[in-house]
C-alpha cells in the first residue's frame, strides 16, 4: 500500500490570518479518508488508530496512560454499539469509521472558515480566499525575486483558482460552506474527482509528458540516495506498478489508470478497515466483537495514540 505524502507546505500571513494553499502532493491513494499512514500492522497500528479515531484525535492519546486509554476506549465502544446488544459488528464499526471521517472533514472546514470569510457574510468568495492565502505575495512581489519562488506561487495560485472554480457549482465565484468543503476535500465529492486525478498527475509527472512512469511513481514516495540500495518495500512498489497500476502494460499510467489507483470505485475503505479490525480482534470467531475483545486488543484500536474523548464525550454528537 502506498503512503500518501504531505509536501509543499506553506503559510502566508496577512493581517494576522494564516492560510495554507492547496498546492500539495497529499494524495488519496488507497485510504486517505481514514489515514495518511501506511497500513503495516507488523510495525505499527498508527493507521488503525487514525481510521478508528480520526486523524487529529488520534494524536492526543499520546499523553494518556494505558489505563486511561482503555477506559476511554470502553466509552467509545458503548457508543459504537448502536443496538446495545453488547456486541460490535462489522457494520457498526463501518458506520462509526464513516461518522468519524465525516466529522473530521466538517470540523476541519469550520476551523478555517473564519480565516477566509473576511466580510463575514457566511460565504467565501474567490477574492477573499486569494487575499487570505496569497495577499502578502501579491502585495509584496519584491520579496519573491527568486524565479523558483515566483513560479511556485504562480503555480499554486493557478491551481487553487482552478480547484475553486470546479467546486463552485453555480459558477458565481462565491463558495457556500458545502462548495468550500468540496474545495478543501475534493476526494469526498464526485464532481471533484477529475481535479484530484489531474493534481496527482501534475505532482508526479516530472517530465510533463502527461503520464506517470515507474521511476516517477517511485520517486514520489522514495528519495534515492546514490550508493544506498533500495529497501525491499520499494521493490514491492515497483511490482505493484507493473502488476496493478499500469493496467494496459505500456510502461506508464494515464489519467484513467491514475484514477483507478487513487480513487478505486470497487473499494470501500471504511468497510475494509472495519473487517480488518474485527478479524484481528475476534478471538472466538463469532464475527462480532465483545467489549472485552476490543479492550483486550486495545493497542490496535488506540494504543498510545487515542483521542480527547474525555472532553469529546461531553459534546453534542448529533453530527455523528
Amino acid at each position: 500500500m502506498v503512503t500518501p505524502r504531505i509536501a509543499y507546505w506553506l503559510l502566508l500571513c496577512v493581517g494576522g490570518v494564516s492560510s495554507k494553499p492547496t498546492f500539495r502532493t497529499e494524495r488519496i491513494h488507497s485510504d486517505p479518508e481514514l489515514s495518511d499512514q501506511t497500513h503495516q500492522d507488523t510495525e505499527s497500528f498508527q493507521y488503525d488508530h487514525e481510521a478508528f479515531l480520526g486523524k487529529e484525535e488520534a494524536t492526543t492519546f499520546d499523553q494518556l496512560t494505558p489505563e486511561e486509554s482503555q477506559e476511554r476506549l470502553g466509552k467509545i465502544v458503548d457508543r459504537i454499539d448502536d443496538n446495545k446488544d453488547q456486541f460490535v459488528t462489522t457494520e457498526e464499526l463501518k458506520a462509526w469509521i464513516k461518522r468519524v471521517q465525516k466529522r473530521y472533514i466538517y470540523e476541519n472546514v469550520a476551523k478555517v472558515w473564519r480565516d477566509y470569510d473576511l466580510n463575514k457574510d457566511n460565504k467565501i468568495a474567490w477574492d477573499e480566499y486569494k487575499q487570505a492565502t496569497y495577499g502578502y505575495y501579491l502585495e509584496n512581489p519584491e520579496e519573491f525575486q527568486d524565479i523558483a519562488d515566483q513560479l511556485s506561487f504562480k503555480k499554486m495560485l493557478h491551481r487553487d483558482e482552478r480547484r475553486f472554480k470546479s467546486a463552485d457549482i453555480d459558477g458565481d465565484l462565491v463558495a457556500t460552506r458545502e462548495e468550500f468543503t468540496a474545495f478543501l476535500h475534493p476526494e469526498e465529492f464526485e464532481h471533484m474527482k477529475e481535479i484530484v486525478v489531474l493534481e496527482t498527475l501534475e505532482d508526479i509527472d516530472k517530465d510533463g509528458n502527461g503520464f506517470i512512469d515507474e521511476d516517477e511513481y517511485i520517486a514520489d514516495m522514495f528519495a534515492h540516495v546514490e550508493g544506498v540500495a533500495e529497501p525491499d518495500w520499494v521493490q514491492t512498489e515497483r511490482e505493484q506498478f507493473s502488476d496493478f497500476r499500469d493496467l494496459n502494460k505500456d510502461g506508464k499510467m494515464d489519467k484513467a489508470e491514475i484514477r483507478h489507483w487513487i480513487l478505486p470505485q470497487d473499494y470501500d475503505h471504511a468497510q475494509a478497515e472495519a473487517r480488518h479490525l474485527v478479524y484481528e480482534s475476534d478471538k472466538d470467531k463469532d464475527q462480532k466483537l465483545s467489549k472485552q475483545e476490543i479492550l483486550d486488543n486495545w493497542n490496535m484500536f488506540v494504543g498510545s495514540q487515542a483521542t480527547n474523548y474525555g472532553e469529546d464525550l461531553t459534546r453534542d454528537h448529533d453530527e455523528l
Side-chain angles (χ1 to χ4, degrees):
M1 182 173 295
V2 182
T3 305
R5 264 67 52 205
I6 303 177
Y8 298 114
W9 50 268
L10 179 62
L11 294 179
L12 304 181
C13 298
V14 181
V17 175
S18 235
S19 305
K20 180 181 179 182
T22 63
F23 181 66
R24 65 192 189 276
T25 57
E26 178 182 352
R27 236 141 354 255
I28 310 314
H29 294 313
S30 297
D31 304 84
E33 302 173 357
L34 308 184
S35 173
D36 292 331
Q37 303 297 319
T38 306
H39 205 171
Q40 296 178 333
D41 292 333
T42 58
E43 300 177 11
S44 170
F45 295 125
Q46 183 65 21
Y47 179 96
D48 297 303
H49 300 163
E50 293 190 2
F52 181 70
L53 298 163
K55 296 177 185 178
E56 292 187 6
E57 288 84 349
T59 63
T60 64
F61 257 44
D62 287 335
Q63 306 304 316
L64 297 181
T65 66
E67 292 74 20
E68 290 171 327
S69 295
Q70 292 176 64
E71 179 183 358
R72 296 192 186 191
L73 175 59
K75 295 178 181 179
I76 296 172
V77 173
D78 291 339
R79 290 180 47 217
I80 298 174
D81 179 18
D82 285 336
N83 62 6
K84 307 305 177 186
D85 66 350
Q86 307 304 309
F87 291 97
V88 171
T89 64
T90 300
E91 284 304 307
E92 286 174 325
L93 259 180
K94 172 185 171 182
W96 168 261
I97 291 169
K98 286 184 176 291
R99 291 199 301 268
V100 165
Q101 173 58 19
K102 181 178 179 181
R103 185 186 65 186
Y104 163 75
I105 290 171
Y106 285 98
E107 286 187 349
N108 173 253
V109 173
K111 186 183 300 183
V112 302
W113 184 264
R114 292 182 182 178
D115 291 344
Y116 297 118
D117 182 16
L118 302 181
N119 65 4
K120 309 306 177 187
D121 65 349
N122 205 34
K123 296 179 182 180
I124 296 175
W126 164 246
D127 285 342
E128 287 179 301
Y129 178 83
K130 182 171 67 173
Q131 176 62 29
T133 306
Y134 299 99
Y136 189 84
Y137 161 68
L138 295 172
E139 294 168 7
N140 301 275
E142 69 281 356
E143 295 188 22
F144 300 87
Q145 294 301 318
D146 184 273
I147 187 65
D149 286 344
Q150 290 212 26
L151 288 176
S152 293
F153 276 95
K154 288 180 181 178
K155 186 175 182 179
M156 286 188 284
L157 179 57
H158 167 72
R159 187 174 197 154
D160 274 356
E161 184 172 12
R162 182 181 63 193
R163 188 195 282 193
F164 192 97
K165 288 179 177 178
S166 294
D168 178 27
I169 295 177
D170 58 12
D172 63 355
L173 288 180
V174 177
T176 63
R177 191 171 290 261
E178 189 73 3
E179 288 172 331
F180 196 65
T181 302
F183 171 69
L184 292 183
H185 298 275
E187 69 278 1
E188 300 296 323
F189 295 81
E190 187 60 38
H191 70 284
M192 298 294 290
K193 297 291 178 70
E194 291 308 312
I195 284 291
V196 174
V197 172
L198 180 58
E199 291 182 0
T200 301
L201 173 62
E202 291 174 343
D203 287 339
I204 306 179
D205 176 26
K206 299 306 181 185
D207 61 13
N209 68 349
F211 299 94
I212 296 175
D213 61 31
E214 181 180 312
D215 288 339
E216 290 170 329
Y217 173 80
I218 295 299
D220 182 57
M221 66 188 77
F222 175 71
H224 179 72
V225 178
E226 188 174 353
V228 178
E230 290 183 348
D232 291 342
W233 70 264
V234 174
Q235 181 57 42
T236 299
E237 284 299 336
R238 291 191 182 279
E239 295 170 2
Q240 289 281 313
F241 182 90
S242 176
D243 295 341
F244 302 109
R245 311 297 183 222
D246 177 19
L247 300 177
N248 63 6
K249 307 307 176 186
D250 64 352
K252 58 194 177 188
M253 282 194 288
D254 57 24
K255 286 184 179 179
E257 290 167 322
I258 294 169
R259 181 175 179 127
H260 185 269
W261 167 40
I262 63 174
L263 300 169
Q265 295 299 305
D266 57 349
Y267 188 78
D268 187 322
H269 307 300
Q271 184 175 46
E273 176 62 13
R275 286 176 174 172
H276 165 69
L277 290 171
V278 171
Y279 177 81
E280 295 294 337
S281 306
D282 182 19
K283 298 307 180 184
D284 60 11
K285 303 305 177 185
D286 61 355
Q287 299 184 28
K288 56 186 177 182
L289 301 180
S290 66
K291 177 186 282 191
Q292 192 58 51
E293 285 177 317
I294 293 174
L295 292 177
D296 286 345
N297 202 23
W298 69 278
N299 246 353
M300 173 168 283
F301 289 87
V302 294
S304 62
Q305 307 285 325
T307 183
N308 53 350
Y309 269 85
E311 171 188 346
D312 193 45
L313 286 166
T314 67
R315 295 165 45 190
D316 182 359
H317 282 281
D318 291 341
E319 74 274 20
L320 296 180

